[in-house]
Amino acid sequence: SQQGEEDPQALSIQEGENATMNCSYKTSINNLQWYRQNSGRGLVHLILIRSNEREKHSGRLRVTLDTSKKSSSLLITASRAADTASYFCATGRSGYSTLTFGKGTMLLVSP
Amino acid sequence: DTEVTQTPKHLVMGMTNKKSLKCEQHMGHRAMYWYKQKAKKPPELMFVYSYEKLSINESVPSRFSPECPNSSLLNLHLHALQPEDSALYLCASSQVRISDAKQETQYFGPGTRLLVL
């Protein structure tokens, strides 16, 4: 069963705008990770936030985690056409060493 | 070297063929994974190897047979596949955490796009 559920399913913005994607999950977690996948290729790890962290930054990425609401958001600031990709959140249940991926958000950034 | 390589990039096979997918990493990771991904869907876990031992099999049909010959290599042997097995097959690797079973960052290969006719 899916652990992470992203919304929106698809997002279309112009270059320079910010993009926000959300992820909700159901069970307790150790950490939550975000990955990017360019069309038909492998996934690239973007950022990991631990369950005792509330916010984390990496370059133009900002991730928040609200464990009371079982939700996370990924913000990409000043988007570029090269950010066009699918974005997945991934979670693992406490005590398990594997990840379960959410359904993903397809982001299209137009020049 | 933070790269996971997969061969072949593309594979077309008939339902009676036998083929193998290969995955290699030289990051010293002792956990390796096979995922199956259909179009516009998230990756679905198939198998996990930890220290070259199969630790998780997510109820995958026996026509998929994984093998981990050493700590750097992971194979997926395919036999008598069905058209619905057509998908992108992704290999990933990560460090292993035994003490608390927390999830580690996974490093993915580019995938093998498989078409079964």
Side-chain angles (χ1 to χ4, degrees), chain B residues 95-114:
Chain B
Q95 295 177 353
V96 176
R97 292 175 71 112
I98 296 177
S99 59
D100 54 11
K102 287 184 178 179
Q103 303 78 30
E104 290 290 330
T105 297
Q106 294 187 15
Y107 294 80
F108 283 80
T112 293
R113 186 161 297 285
L114 173 67

Side-chain angles (χ1 to χ4, degrees), chain A residues 11 13 17-21 74-79 107 109:
Chain A
L11 180 61
I13 59 174
E17 294 180 339
N18 296 340
T20 300
M21 290 160 265
L74 171 67
L75 168 67
I76 304 174
T77 60
S79 63
L107 174 66
V109 182

Side-chain angles (χ1 to χ4, degrees), chain B residues 37-91:
Chain B
Q37 186 180 26
K38 302 284 271 185
K40 300 186 187 302
K41 298 290 186 182
E44 294 181 357
L45 184 65
M46 300 174 71
F47 303 103
V48 181
Y49 273 82
S50 179
Y51 293 97
E52 296 85 70
K53 301 291 185 191
L54 183 64
S55 62
I56 294 177
N57 175 343
E58 292 285 356
S59 303
V60 178
S62 59
R63 58 186 183 268
F64 295 92
S65 176
E67 178 196 23
C68 191
N70 61 53
S71 60
S72 299
L73 294 173
L74 185 67
N75 298 321
L76 186 62
H77 303 296
L78 314 173
H79 173 57
L81 295 192
Q82 303 297 310
E84 59 264 29
D85 296 322
S86 299
L88 181 67
Y89 288 84
L90 295 163
C91 172

Side-chain angles (χ1 to χ4, degrees), chain B residues 13-32:
Chain B
M13 60 186 291
M15 290 188 284
T16 59
N17 292 156
K18 285 185 179 181
K19 297 288 185 182
S20 296
L21 309 184
K22 297 184 183 301
C23 174
E24 188 168 8
Q25 57 88 14
H26 295 286
M27 293 178 278
H29 291 166
R30 301 306 292 275
M32 297 186 76

